[in-house]
């Protein structure tokens, strides 16, 4: 089990565009080891998703898991551990909705970000199979957030206004949904970042 260091905003690697992962590498030992590290790191940080550039790997590779995180227990979605290799959004809703996001690379910050309500994504899975999924709501938000990392973008770049940007403590005190507030009571500031 290897917990990788998660780069924070300001590190130039977070602002680079990541390269496609060579499909021949899917299933190789280094590929499997990187994914294991990414999952270990995401679970350790209580994140919902993680993109390879956040652990200083310039590759178009993202992971997420929705459903196990107590901070998001109000969500019905349960994605299981998900790997997207070279993901591409091929269709998106016209309609966007705004909701709160955080990021392991911007610790203790939250902000409201407009995202497409649903997206259709094409990628390879961990085994190299082609997958195409239409996802909506929170899962669609996570995918858009993670793919943005592959293009060197952070959630603050997508905010319509910085007026909602806040620290986690103030978010909890003044903005969190009642369920989430209850789910997070007793936690300190640290283990509550997402994505
Ligand atoms: Ni992030």
């Amino acid at each position: 089990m290897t917990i990788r260091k998660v780069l924070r905003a300001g590190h130039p690697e977070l602002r680079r565009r990541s390269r496609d992962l060579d499909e021949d590498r899917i299933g190789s030992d280094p590929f499997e080891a990187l994914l294991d590290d990414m999952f270990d790191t995401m679970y350790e940080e209580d994140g919902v998703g993680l993109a390879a550039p956040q652990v200083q790997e310039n590759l178009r590779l993202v992971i997420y898991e929705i459903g196990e995180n107590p901070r998001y227990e109000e969500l019905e979605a349960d994605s299981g551990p998900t790997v997207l290799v070279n993901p591409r959004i091929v269709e998106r809703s016209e309609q966007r909705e705004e909701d709160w996001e955080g990021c392991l690379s911007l610790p203790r910050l939250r902000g409201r970000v407009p995202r497409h309500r649903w997206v259709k994504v094409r990628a390879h899975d961990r085994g190299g199979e082609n997958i195409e999924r239409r996802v909506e709501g929170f899962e669609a938000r996570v995918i858009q957030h993670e793919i943005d990392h592959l293009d060197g973008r952070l959630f603050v770049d997508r905010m319509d206004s910085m007026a909602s940007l806040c620290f986690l403590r103030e978010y909890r005190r003044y903005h969190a949904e009642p369920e989430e507030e209850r789910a997070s009571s007793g936690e300190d500031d640290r283990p509550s970042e997402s994505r």
Side-chain angles (χ1 to χ4, degrees), residues 83-181:
V83 172
L84 300 178
V85 179
N86 300 337
R88 277 193 308 133
I89 291 173
V90 295
E91 264 186 73
R92 44 182 70 74
S93 64
E94 290 217 352
Q95 194 197 354
R96 294 171 195 238
E97 56 192 17
E98 200 177 77
D99 208 345
W100 293 96
E101 290 187 23
C103 181
L104 295 174
S105 295
L106 289 152
R108 289 181 296 283
L109 286 172
R110 291 277 170 126
R112 290 183 67 81
V113 185
R115 298 285 188 188
H116 297 284
R117 226 191 75 67
W118 62 261
V119 294
K120 188 186 278 186
V121 64
R122 266 187 214 144
H124 298 288
D125 68 10
R126 189 168 188 160
E129 297 297 315
N130 292 313
I131 51 173
E132 182 177 288
R133 282 192 196 164
R134 184 187 184 280
V135 297
E136 58 181 25
F138 187 68
E139 187 169 2
R141 177 170 295 279
V142 171
I143 287 174
Q144 290 169 82
H145 177 117
E146 299 309 333
I147 291 179
D148 268 355
H149 277 300
L150 306 183
D151 295 322
R153 280 197 203 94
L154 300 172
F155 80 80
V156 287
D157 306 343
R158 297 287 195 187
M159 292 171 67
D160 283 337
S161 153
M162 286 292 141
S164 68
L165 191 69
C166 64
F167 290 98
L168 195 55
R169 179 173 295 186
E170 284 68 25
Y171 165 78
R172 286 194 181 133
R173 188 168 296 167
Y174 301 113
H175 305 290
E177 299 296 319
E179 308 93 285
E180 190 169 357
E181 207 162 35

Side-chain angles (χ1 to χ4, degrees), residues 49-62:
L50 190 69
Q54 290 181 280
V55 293
Q56 212 162 350
E57 297 284 347
N58 184 267
L59 292 170
R60 301 189 76 78
L61 177 62
V62 309

